């Protein structure tokens, strides 16, 4: 048994990581043939991609996938810690599973992902959720086959959570959700330690994958006919810093672009590490999508300092305008937190004025959520929750206004869309444009997921656009 520990999670091991090739334990291959699993994923793209590895590992054990948890022999929750409501959702699901387990005694239940890294969650599971069969952490994914096998064979709760990242495991099997667009991890962890954020504790220090490993994975995707790749990391712009002297995110983006895949995206970018070289590369290569997610968090330099964001309102705006000026037609999206401890109405007004200046194409807005173990959790927080909720509503009205205004500018133009499928509205296909806008459209020609088509935009809505395929 390995239990999580925040003190350890906070430390940063400066020694180079070891790169280990994953080896399958052939003794457990197909051992659970005939059994089924249901995997529920909460949170970000990183978790979604981890789930693609988890599914492949479960399949290796012989499990097959079902769509309803009630039908499964094994239910696994891949959880998220970022805000309290993500926690609540996972615990709500555990409540439903407890009932199910009363009827179905053999049901195996497990929890993994970021919540598994939290000492308080694991303590609660040890105390109140003794019926949960296993828990494994974000650094223990490669041990999944042996953990599950042991939980079943020994009929004893297994808790395997390394507080600190150990080796970097390459070659985990992956079962991709799509056969035309794919996630590729380029860097794990985060060293930024923004004061509100739990990620540096749950995901460990920054560790870049070797460029050869990333490029080999992209090459395989190109050979397999994939159209889009999204390079993933908590802060992709820090790519390379931990392992190379002279190879950066700009170099990696350029090398990936040269491999000729139709579309390249990357997320998430911290403004601090966004270099001029990166902007030049994005502008130069037509297959790097003109779409940048650039979380601002707050428009007040005072709050940004308290958040430990390492930039000011002014330096953010300078970067924002530089990207807008140098990358033609670029869309920029952001994340914003309202109600950070001590945020005054004046601070909030600065966020609103920054939003009016930036006129974002998309924005994910949140009320500050206290995360145990983070520095912001200990700050005095006199603002009432209702006031914070009200600020969120006021902010959303402003951001929504600009989503619509930006979308209206596209009416009459033609955009390239990567087809994802047919939407609920009959005969309407849907997919995303180069600037990452959701497009619903009709087409006289039959299309399939993965096709790239030009679509003429007819109508703008706040969160999507309607159009018709150009013959
Ligand atoms: N409370 C609210 N929002 C948070 N985020 C991260 N931590 C918190 C928190 N404690 C938001 C940030 C980040 C996004 C992924 O989640 O805006 O960019
Ligand atoms: Fe969290 Fe900041 Fe790291 Fe993003 S950059 S994961 S907000 S600590």
């Amino acid at each position: 048994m390995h239990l999580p520990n925040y003190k350890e999670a906070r430390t940063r091991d400066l020694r180079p990581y070891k790169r280990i090739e994953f080896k399958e334990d052939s003794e457990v291959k197909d051992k659970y043939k005939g059994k089924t699993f249901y995997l529920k994923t909460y949170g970000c793209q990183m978790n979604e991609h981890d789930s693609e590895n988890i599914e492949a590992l479960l399949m290796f054990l012989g499990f097959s996938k079902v769509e309803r948890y009630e039908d499964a022999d094994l239910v696994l929750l891949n959880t998220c810690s970022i805000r309290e409501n993500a926690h609540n959702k996972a615990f709500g699901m555990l409540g439903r599973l407890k009932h199910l387990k009363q009827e179905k005694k053999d049901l195996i239940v497990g929890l993994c992902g970021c919540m598994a890294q939290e000492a308080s969650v694991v303590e609660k599971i040890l105390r109140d959720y003794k019926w949960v069969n296993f828990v494994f952490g974000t650094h223990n994914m490669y041990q999944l086959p042996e953990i599950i096998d042991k939980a079943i064979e020994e009929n004893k709760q297994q808790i395997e959570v390394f507080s600190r990242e150990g080796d970097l495991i390459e070659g985990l099997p992956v079962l991709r959700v799509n056969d035309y667009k794919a996630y590729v991890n380029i860097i794990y962890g985060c060293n930024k330690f923004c004061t509100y954020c739990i990620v540096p504790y749950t995901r460990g220090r920054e560790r870049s994958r070797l460029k050869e490993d990333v490029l080999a994975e992209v090459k395989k995707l190109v050979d397999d006919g994939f159209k889009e790749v999204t390079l993933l990391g908590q802060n992709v712009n820090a790519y390379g810093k931990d392992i190379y002297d002279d190879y950066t995110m700009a170099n990696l983006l350029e090398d990936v672009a040269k491999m000729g895949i139709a579309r390249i995206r990357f997320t998430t970018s911290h403004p601090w590490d966004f270099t001029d070289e990166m902007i030049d590369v994005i502008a130069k290569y037509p297959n790097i999508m003109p779409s940048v997610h650039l979380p601002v968090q707050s428009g007040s330099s005072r709050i940004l300092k308290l958040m430990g964001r390492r930039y000011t309102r002014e330096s953010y705006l300078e970067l924002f305008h530089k990207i807008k000026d140098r990358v033609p037609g670029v869309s920029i999206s952001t994340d914003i937190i309202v109600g950070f401890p001590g945020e005054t109405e004046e601070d909030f007004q600065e966020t609103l004025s920054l939003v009016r200046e930036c006129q974002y194409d998309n924005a994910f807005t949140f009320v500050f959520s206290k995360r145990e173990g983070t520095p912001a959790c200990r700050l005095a927080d006199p603002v009432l929750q209702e006031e914070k909720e009200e600020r969120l509503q006021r902010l959303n009205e402003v951001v929504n206004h600009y989503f619509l205004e930006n979308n209206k500018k596209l009416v009459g133009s033609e955009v390239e869309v990567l087809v994802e499928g047919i939407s609920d509205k009959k005969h309407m296909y849907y997919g995303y444009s180069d600037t990452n806008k959701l497009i619903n459209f009709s087409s006289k020609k039959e299309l399939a997921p993965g096709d790239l088509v030009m679509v003429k935009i007819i109508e703008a809505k706040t969160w999507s656009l309607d159009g018709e395929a150009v013959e």
Side-chain angles (χ1 to χ4, degrees):
M1 179 149 76
H2 288 92
L3 299 179
N5 168 323
Y6 262 144
K7 255 200 202 128
E8 228 183 282
R10 200 173 289 136
T11 56
R12 286 299 181 257
D13 186 348
L14 297 174
R15 284 168 302 178
Y17 66 73
K18 264 201 253 139
R19 177 195 178 286
I20 307 272
E21 197 69 34
F22 175 74
K23 277 198 206 72
E24 287 170 342
D25 171 5
S26 51
E27 265 183 39
V28 290
K29 182 167 168 39
D30 291 332
K31 183 164 170 184
Y32 296 95
K33 220 168 183 79
K35 298 277 181 203
T36 57
F37 77 89
Y38 174 87
L39 173 63
K40 172 88 187 152
T41 308
Y42 302 87
C44 65
Q45 287 124 320
M46 197 73 69
N47 260 18
E48 280 174 32
H49 187 38
D50 283 352
S51 282
E52 294 184 325
N53 293 126
I54 291 170
E55 285 204 358
L57 289 167
L58 288 167
M59 299 267 199
F60 169 75
L61 281 170
F63 288 93
S64 58
K65 185 175 168 171
V66 288
E67 298 301 327
R68 287 165 16 107
Y69 71 88
E70 294 91 336
D71 301 333
D73 299 306
L74 181 148
V75 179
L76 178 53
L77 310 184
N78 187 9
T79 60
C80 167
S81 300
I82 199 99
R83 282 169 294 274
E84 200 181 341
N85 64 353
H87 256 232
N88 295 345
K89 275 190 212 156
F91 275 113
M93 185 68 184
L94 280 182
R96 288 194 284 285
L97 292 171
K98 187 178 180 182
H99 282 292
L100 188 59
K101 199 158 170 157
Q102 278 157 1
E103 294 161 24
K104 227 172 135 175
K105 293 272 181 282
D106 293 338
L107 179 69
I108 302 290
V109 176
L111 183 143
C112 64
C114 287
M115 279 170 67
Q117 296 297 132
E118 294 184 65
S120 58
V121 169
V122 172
E123 277 161 24
K124 196 161 155 176
I125 287 174
L126 283 167
R127 197 181 53 232
D128 305 329
Y129 293 76
K130 294 194 172 71
W131 52 272
V132 168
N133 301 77
F134 64 92
V135 175
F136 64 88
T138 58
H139 308 306
N140 305 72
M141 199 158 70
Y142 70 99
Q143 298 172 317
L144 178 149
E146 58 181 281
I147 294 170
I148 293 185
D149 187 43
K150 218 167 152 195
I152 298 174
E153 283 288 335
E154 296 181 9
N155 195 17
K156 203 172 130 220
Q157 192 178 55
Q158 303 293 317
I159 311 255
E160 290 300 334
V161 182
F162 295 153
S163 292
R164 252 187 7 202
E165 71 292 329
D167 308 318
L168 192 145
I169 314 291
E170 283 294 343
L172 278 177
V174 59
L175 199 100
R176 298 193 186 273
V177 171
N178 294 298
D179 56 9
Y180 55 92
K181 63 173 192 176
Y183 292 129
V184 171
N185 282 323
I186 61 169
I187 180 167
Y188 299 98
C190 181
N191 287 351
K192 289 284 182 290
F193 285 100
C194 300
T195 58
Y196 50 81
C197 187
I198 199 162
V199 168
Y201 309 87
T202 60
R203 291 278 173 175
R205 71 164 156 152
E206 284 172 1
R207 282 150 299 140
S208 302
R209 289 178 70 196
L210 295 182
K211 64 177 190 240
E212 291 79 9
D213 287 327
V214 174
L215 294 174
E217 189 173 342
V218 176
K219 166 86 172 53
K220 176 149 196 322
L221 293 169
V222 175
D223 292 347
D224 291 348
F226 278 74
K227 301 284 175 53
E228 183 176 289
V229 64
T230 301
L231 307 179
L232 277 187
Q234 302 300 340
N235 173 22
V236 288
N237 304 11
Y239 177 79
K241 286 184 175 185
D242 56 322
I243 51 170
Y244 300 122
D245 291 330
D246 54 2
Y247 192 86
T248 64
M249 179 60 180
N251 301 125
L252 183 71
L253 260 182
E254 182 154 29
D255 283 346
V256 172
K258 283 180 184 159
M259 300 186 94
I261 195 155
R263 291 181 152 204
I264 299 155
R265 301 187 187 279
F266 55 94
T267 194
T268 285
S269 288
H270 190 293
W272 169 259
D273 298 303
F274 215 113
T275 60
D276 284 5
E277 290 75 30
M278 263 184 77
I279 302 175
D280 290 342
V281 171
I282 298 166
K284 181 170 165 193
Y285 289 90
N287 57 345
I288 303 181
M289 295 296 98
S291 164
V292 175
H293 188 59
L294 196 67
V296 67
Q297 313 299 359
S298 168
S300 152
S301 291
R302 192 184 77 84
I303 295 295
L304 287 170
K305 191 154 187 219
L306 290 172
M307 288 177 162
R309 288 292 287 178
R310 306 167 190 225
Y311 55 82
T312 59
R313 173 192 175 93
E314 290 71 30
S315 62
Y316 178 91
L317 285 172
E318 194 185 319
L319 173 66
F320 178 93
H321 289 298
K322 197 156 48 177
I323 298 172
K324 278 269 173 192
D325 291 347
R326 290 211 213 152
V327 184
V330 70
S331 70
I332 302 189
S333 55
T334 201
D335 292 341
I336 300 173
I337 298 176
V338 300
F340 185 82
E343 182 190 73
T344 62
E345 177 60 28
E346 289 72 46
D347 292 317
F348 176 63
Q349 286 297 337
E350 290 204 54
T351 296
L352 289 183
S353 84
L354 180 130
V355 165
R356 287 194 191 98
E357 179 166 343
C358 293
Q359 308 190 2
Y360 291 106
D361 288 275
N362 203 355
F364 301 90
T365 57
F366 314 103
V367 172
F368 168 75
S369 171
K370 270 190 178 183
R371 306 321 295 134
E372 206 181 305
T374 63
C377 189
R378 297 188 293 272
L379 293 175
D381 192 3
V383 182
L384 292 175
Q385 192 65 19
E386 296 85 86
E387 169 99 35
K388 295 185 181 196
E389 304 282 349
E390 197 230 18
R391 281 182 196 165
L392 183 70
Q393 278 194 8
R394 282 154 69 201
L395 173 64
N396 284 345
E397 273 167 31
V398 181
V399 291
N400 292 348
H401 169 79
Y402 290 111
F403 302 165
L404 184 60
E405 287 304 303
N406 285 326
N407 283 349
K408 278 186 194 159
K409 289 179 201 153
L410 291 174
V411 173
S413 70
E414 288 180 10
V415 299
E416 191 192 61
V417 174
L418 178 63
V419 180
E420 301 244 334
I422 299 200
S423 58
D424 298 340
K425 294 183 210 162
K426 264 195 186 145
H427 308 309
M428 287 286 255
Y429 289 97
Y430 71 95
Y432 288 85
S433 68
D434 53 351
T435 55
N436 213 16
K437 309 238 177 211
L438 175 60
I439 316 281
N440 293 302
F441 64 100
S442 56
S443 169
K444 294 206 182 85
K445 217 174 90 188
E446 194 168 329
L447 299 168
D451 287 345
L452 282 163
V453 280
M454 293 306 291
V455 173
K456 184 167 174 140
I457 302 298
I458 298 166
E459 195 188 337
K461 302 186 172 153
T462 301
W463 287 285
S464 65
L465 293 131
D466 286 353
E468 57 191 25
V470 180
E471 293 304 308

